[in-house]
Amino acid sequence: MFKTLDDFDLSGKTALVRADLNVPMRDGTVSDATRIERLRPTVDALIGAGAKVVLLSHFGRPKGKRVADMSLAPVAKAVEAVLGRPVTFAEECVGDAAKAAIDAAPMDGIVVLENLRFHAEEEGNDPDFAKALATLGDVYVNDAFSAAHRAHASTHAIAQCLPALAGRNMQAELEALDAALGEPRRPVAAVVGGAKVSTKLDVLNHLVDKVDLLIIGGGMANTFLHAMGKDVGKSLCEKDLADTARQILARADAAGCRIGLPSDVTVAAEFAAGAPSDSVPLDAVQADKMILDIGPQTAEALSAELESCRTLIWNGPMGAFEIPPFDAGTVALAKKAAALTQAGSLTSVAGGGDTVAALAAAGVSEQFTYVSTAGGAFLEWMEGRELPGVAALSA
Ligand code: ADP
Ligand code: MG
């Protein structure tokens, strides 16, 4: 178990908060401030408890050198605007300049330290660099789940130097993930989609041991269908993974995990806007067509399956959702999951870059129990890996 902001007397303390300020920029300004906005609960709680807030983050990949383009200075301005508190920017993340900036900042203000990755020691998980960071504060707060799959000085080594707490985002993420795969309400369904089996082998292998129903959609379903002897035409299909797919199916069988695959599919001759498309039974995919989505009967049948499930974990769209109508299967299943969540019968947790975009496009992000924007860390967690940044909080 990990400690939270509620488990420590923060009054008069300086809190070093590992944030994820690696925000998208366009023309020198922040183009999407979601990650900054999400820091508000942690910042408010800390300042409310009488602590001084110092934000630590990486930004881009400067590879251990000072790169002007990758300064956090413009991001610090955005932090001030978005969170509505005075921000002091320190041009160094360690040493006298950092210390002076922290000392000079008002108690209800925020200090943003320069990009940690200007020092190679950050990605090297260097204990001396971690100590140098730790001397700047009294307590360490990790609020960057999205960086927790990396053992870096600011996510791992520093937790050995100071009392270590989970920030509000980290806490929410860990609680949601635990509700989905830790001690979930059963039955548990997983929806796994996306383009390729090869990128999600570890996810599939981990899930068959954990869930009661594994729904496989998207391009990766084609590989499974091919492995089961179906003709998938010119669909995206990793034929060299047929044996692997059969092994996963056998493993699911042995573990008592049911598999949900499409029984009908939406096909087209090309993946393009306005291309004529058709929904056909699985046995009727013509040689010159590609499968671009699950079919309407499959969407219906899978939606019905979700009704008897209590927990859903979702990564990967059911079809090539970027171009309609190939978003239909993903949207239908997403709306069903959202409705069941709102009705209280389903705990729904989703993550993955394209999945988050697909759920947002379906207009259901707010109706899921939790949508993780963590990307790589979310996937590693779905693979059953221990994340170093999380492990460091629990030590
Ligand atoms: P995430 O980013 O959520 O982990 P992925 O990157 O694994 O998801 O998968 C998303 C991609 O999968 C999208 O670009 C989508 O177009 C593609 N995809 C889904 N279904 C198909 C399909 N049937 N054929 C080709 N590509 C597909
Ligand atoms: Mg993706």
Side-chain angles (χ1 to χ4, degrees):
M1 269 310 286
F2 52 92
K3 291 200 172 66
T4 73
L5 304 184
D6 305 317
D7 300 317
F8 193 82
D9 179 10
L10 293 156
S11 175
K13 303 290 194 328
T14 295
L16 301 177
V17 181
R18 179 52 161 101
D20 184 353
L21 295 178
N22 190 34
V23 292
M25 304 278 287
R26 205 177 297 130
D27 305 327
T29 56
V30 174
S31 58
D32 178 357
T34 310
R35 282 184 167 163
I36 297 173
E37 183 56 53
R38 285 203 172 192
L39 281 172
R40 191 189 298 278
T42 297
V43 168
D44 285 358
L46 286 167
I47 292 176
K52 190 180 273 194
V53 174
V54 181
L55 300 182
L56 287 66
S57 180
H58 72 285
F59 186 61
R61 295 203 163 99
K63 306 226 170 94
K65 288 195 300 281
R66 187 169 273 275
V67 178
D69 276 6
M70 295 183 194
S71 171
L72 275 168
V75 181
K77 287 217 172 62
V79 170
E80 184 163 77
V82 173
L83 298 183
R85 294 184 185 272
V87 168
T88 311
F89 179 68
E91 282 168 18
E92 253 301 349
C93 62
V94 284
D96 293 342
K99 184 162 185 340
I102 293 168
D103 288 344
M107 277 313 286
D108 64 343
I110 298 171
V111 182
V112 175
L113 302 183
E114 184 55 290
N115 193 349
L116 296 162
R117 288 192 188 165
F118 284 179
H119 296 262
E121 295 88 343
E122 160 65 359
E123 293 185 73
N125 200 19
D126 183 89
D128 292 328
F129 182 68
K131 272 186 211 135
L133 289 170
T135 56
L136 299 172
D138 308 301
V139 57
Y140 167 69
V141 176
N142 191 345
D143 211 27
F145 178 82
S146 50
H149 56 317
R150 310 262 185 251
H152 291 171
S154 69
T155 61
H156 189 258
I158 192 174
Q160 266 88 66
C161 309
L162 288 173
L165 313 176
R168 294 295 190 228
N169 285 312
M170 176 68 90
Q171 187 185 347
E173 184 100 25
L174 294 177
E175 284 168 1
L177 299 186
D178 192 59
L181 282 187
E183 308 258 324
R185 294 193 288 159
R186 291 196 178 267
V188 184
V191 170
V192 181
K196 291 183 171 179
V197 173
S198 54
T199 62
K200 294 190 182 168
L201 280 176
D202 293 341
V203 170
L204 293 165
N205 274 314
H206 181 58
L207 289 177
V208 293
D209 285 337
K210 286 275 181 179
V211 306
D212 305 296
L213 169 67
L214 175 61
I215 293 171
I216 303 172
M220 68 167 62
N222 303 335
T223 300
F224 281 89
L225 296 171
H226 165 74
M228 292 161 66
K230 306 285 182 193
D231 188 350
V232 296
K234 65 180 179 91
S235 302
L236 175 66
C237 176
E238 294 171 286
K239 297 201 163 135
D240 53 324
L241 288 181
D243 278 340
T244 307
R246 282 188 288 265
Q247 277 159 20
I248 292 169
L249 294 175
R251 190 169 164 158
D253 195 42
C257 168
R258 283 193 306 123
I259 298 284
L261 277 162
S263 55
D264 68 331
V265 287
T266 297
V267 299
E270 51 173 345
F271 179 44
S277 65
D278 225 347
S279 291
V280 298
L282 201 51
D283 295 323
V285 179
Q286 296 113 301
D288 62 339
K289 294 282 175 64
M290 53 179 123
I291 300 171
L292 289 168
D293 194 13
I294 56 173
Q297 280 167 29
T298 300
E300 184 83 15
L302 295 177
S303 293
E305 292 258 23
L306 290 187
E307 284 176 10
S308 54
C309 292
R310 294 294 162 262
T311 302
L312 169 68
I313 170 87
W314 184 335
N315 169 258
M318 294 291 90
F321 73 100
E322 294 93 337
I323 300 182
F326 310 114
D327 60 339
T330 304
V331 171
L333 210 55
K335 288 201 160 148
K336 184 67 182 191
L340 292 171
T341 305
Q342 292 303 305
S345 73
L346 190 70
T347 299
S348 53
V349 176
D354 292 286
T355 308
V356 172
L359 296 182
V364 300
S365 313
E366 301 299 316
Q367 293 152 39
F368 268 53
T369 308
Y370 192 80
V371 177
S372 172
T373 54
F378 180 84
L379 272 179
E380 288 202 18
W381 167 81
M382 269 188 96
E383 292 169 352
R385 287 177 206 268
E386 177 170 84
L387 309 187
V390 174
L393 289 180
S394 314

